[in-house]
Amino acid sequence: MQSEEQRKLLGAFVRTRRESMAPEGTARRRRTPGLRREELAARAAIGATWVAWIEQGRDVRPSAETLSRLAAGLDLSVAERDYLFSLAGRHDPADPFAEAGAAAPAAIAALVGRIDWPCYALDPAWTLCAANVAAKRLFTGLFEDDPQPNLLRYVFTHPAARKLLPDWSRRAERLLAEFRRDYSHALADPRVRGVVARLQEQSPEFRRSWEEQAVLAREGGRRSFQPPAGGLLHFEQHTLTDVSRRDFRVVFLEPVSDA
């Protein structure tokens, strides 16, 4: 549900962005800066009335398609586009993280639900398609207010991840090197490619690590976590691949007494 305050912020944002854009061609000097509403409407292929209503903060609830055209007309960056859709209370159809992936295969879902240790499953885009209670408790912030929790986005963009992983830089680089190996098998999946493209724009660390071209097999090993409500926790990580869907992964964390 969009609040009145969100509508006001949305209107102010669209108006300010429109006024900052230079008119096309060699028009005479104007009294007011930027594009006129009619010009923005033409660029966005929407009605000028829609532009006026949005800027006035009216309760009109433009569709995701209308907002997508408006974002294109305003030449918004990825961050600005995210802000626009967030204020409008809509899911961005161009956001790969908002698109639901395939459900976890039955064997994976059953396994995740039976393990007492932290356990989760990853789809080809490394969205968590299954997770048990222990995993949801361990990964602070990953499952909150996100119907499509993605491990890559969490590690590279969520502030809670930097606190949870005491060796964040090394872990993030290793995680991406492991994902790159899976990525080579998912090049035909536009959702997976979209996740990579979006994260390169959202995270300088992701972009730098991605350009380094490092590749690793998804191996086990010791993993440490620093949850906000307790001391340092240590685990031995194990990874399994489903024989029926080799693009899915099951990860579980076996507690160990020390590092």
Side-chain angles (χ1 to χ4, degrees), residues 96-97 122-128 142-143 146-158 175 179 191 195 199 206:
F97 295 111
L122 300 173
D123 73 3
W126 280 32
T127 294
L128 280 83
L142 175 57
F143 298 91
D146 191 348
Q148 302 292 329
N150 184 278
L151 186 60
L152 291 169
R153 178 171 59 170
Y154 172 72
V155 169
F156 280 94
T157 69
H158 201 301
L175 185 77
F179 169 74
R191 178 168 164 264
V195 164
L199 283 174
F206 183 97

Side-chain angles (χ1 to χ4, degrees), residues 215-230:
V215 179
L216 285 174
R218 191 166 179 79
E219 301 172 349
R222 294 296 178 95
R223 304 288 188 269
S224 298
F225 297 84
Q226 180 66 65

Side-chain angles (χ1 to χ4, degrees), residues 51-84:
V51 177
W53 285 349
I54 292 171
E55 290 188 355
Q56 292 165 4
R58 295 196 188 187
D59 188 11
V60 292
R61 295 289 290 159
S63 68
E65 181 182 359
T66 297
L67 291 169
S68 185
R69 292 179 178 180
L70 182 60
L74 289 169
D75 290 334
L76 299 185
S77 66
V78 170
E80 290 170 335
R81 184 180 175 109
D82 288 344
Y83 183 65
L84 177 81

Side-chain angles (χ1 to χ4, degrees), residues 19-240:
E19 292 176 349
S20 70
M21 299 180 69
E24 297 178 358
T26 56
R28 292 179 300 174
R29 186 171 182 177
R30 297 174 173 180
R31 295 180 180 179
T32 57
L35 298 179
R36 297 188 177 98
R37 285 175 176 168
E38 294 79 9
E39 292 170 327
L40 173 57
R43 283 172 57 95
I46 62 176
T49 301
W50 270 112
V51 177
W53 285 349
I54 292 171
E55 290 188 355
Q56 292 165 4
R58 295 196 188 187
D59 188 11
V60 292
R61 295 289 290 159
S63 68
E65 181 182 359
T66 297
L67 291 169
S68 185
R69 292 179 178 180
L70 182 60
L74 289 169
D75 290 334
L76 299 185
S77 66
V78 170
E80 290 170 335
R81 184 180 175 109
D82 288 344
Y83 183 65
L84 177 81
F85 275 87
S86 177
L87 290 177
R90 297 286 192 188
H91 289 299
D92 184 354
D95 183 358
F97 295 111
E99 182 180 352
I108 285 181
L111 177 62
V112 169
R114 295 289 293 178
I115 293 179
D116 293 330
W117 303 329
C119 182
Y120 56 91
L122 300 173
D123 73 3
W126 280 32
T127 294
L128 280 83
C129 55
N132 65 9
V133 173
K136 292 179 180 179
R137 186 183 304 119
L138 177 62
F139 288 91
T140 309
L142 175 57
F143 298 91
E144 298 171 5
D145 302 320
D146 191 348
Q148 302 292 329
N150 184 278
L151 186 60
L152 291 169
R153 178 171 59 170
Y154 172 72
V155 169
F156 280 94
T157 69
H158 201 301
R162 294 177 183 260
K163 298 178 180 179
L164 181 66
L165 307 178
D167 49 351
W168 179 87
S169 180
R170 183 178 64 83
R171 292 275 289 277
E173 290 179 359
R174 180 181 182 86
L175 185 77
L176 188 53
E178 292 173 352
F179 169 74
R180 183 185 288 280
R181 180 177 182 274
D182 291 352
Y183 179 77
S184 66
H185 302 290
L187 291 174
D189 190 333
R191 178 168 164 264
V192 177
R193 296 198 309 271
V195 164
V196 172
R198 181 61 65 95
L199 283 174
Q200 287 188 81
E201 296 179 342
Q202 291 181 337
S203 169
E205 293 92 344
F206 183 97
R207 182 172 60 253
R208 182 175 60 252
S209 294
W210 188 256
E211 292 172 350
E212 290 175 355
Q213 301 287 326
V215 179
L216 285 174
R218 191 166 179 79
E219 301 172 349
R222 294 296 178 95
R223 304 288 188 269
S224 298
F225 297 84
Q226 180 66 65
L232 195 63
L233 302 178
H234 306 289
F235 299 89
E236 186 76 18
Q237 179 175 297
H238 305 280
T239 303
L240 304 175

